[in-house]
Amino acid sequence: MKALVEKEYLIFDNELVKDRSKEEVWALGTADPDGHPVDAILCPVGPSAAPPHGTSTYWLYTSQWSLLEYPGVSFPVTTVDPVKDVKDFGYVPKNPRDKYNHDQYDPKTYVDAPIGLQIITRKFEDEKCLLILEAIEKAMGRK
């Protein structure tokens, strides 16, 4: 099982991916030495831990897959721990949305907020998506 990571590199900097259709990007996985296709994309569900209700302003992390009609499932990986997840005051936001998310973060407000990932598979591979989730949940020590 393979997962595409480092979305920004893959989309913007990688000459193999730029200017290719989504079908061509999925097919790139078959060029691997082991001959296995890309089974899924593992990526974040959002730019931060789950924000307080009514404060989220950006849904593209998940909605893009729905618009493409790709099956997907999100799952919690961990939760915010205010002792470990302190705010980085030296961070320089990359754009206005990033600044909004960074400014919004307060470890006291986000205590126990879930931090999640999502699994995306090709069209009509809904069952595969859930089987991959099951394998990941088992690997994480969950039932």
Side-chain angles (χ1 to χ4, degrees):
M1 180 179 356
K2 289 186 152 189
L4 291 176
V5 294
E6 297 179 87
K7 182 183 90 171
E8 191 169 309
Y9 167 76
L10 285 170
I11 293 173
F12 300 112
D13 299 328
N14 187 335
E15 291 299 323
L16 292 174
V17 176
K18 276 188 196 177
D19 304 319
R20 290 185 187 253
S21 70
K22 62 184 183 285
E23 290 82 11
E24 292 172 314
V25 171
W26 277 110
L28 288 173
T30 59
D32 290 341
D34 63 8
H36 292 98
V38 172
D39 291 308
I41 297 172
L42 180 66
C43 52
V45 295
S48 67
H53 290 285
T55 62
S56 181
T57 62
Y58 192 68
W59 305 276
L60 190 59
Y61 285 79
T62 53
S63 64
Q64 66 183 344
W65 306 113
S66 297
L67 292 170
L68 293 170
E69 298 180 350
Y70 286 152
V73 61
S74 19
F75 60 101
V77 176
T78 188
T79 58
V80 173
D81 177 343
V83 174
K84 294 179 186 174
D85 302 315
V86 297
K87 187 167 185 165
D88 179 359
F89 289 100
Y91 179 73
V92 178
K94 302 191 181 346
N95 57 50
R97 286 192 192 274
D98 192 30
K99 181 177 180 347
Y100 174 81
N101 287 317
H102 183 262
D103 290 348
Q104 183 178 329
Y105 182 73
D106 176 354
K108 293 176 197 155
T109 305
Y110 277 72
V111 172
D112 295 329
I115 301 170
L117 291 174
Q118 62 183 326
I119 301 163
I120 309 301
T121 53
R122 299 170 201 247
K123 282 187 180 184
F124 310 116
E125 290 188 346
D126 304 62
E127 293 86 0
K128 181 188 238 183
C129 190
L130 295 176
L131 288 170
I132 292 170
L133 172 62
E134 184 178 13
I136 289 173
E137 292 278 321
K138 284 181 183 175
M140 292 174 65
R142 299 176 181 166
K143 289 185 177 187

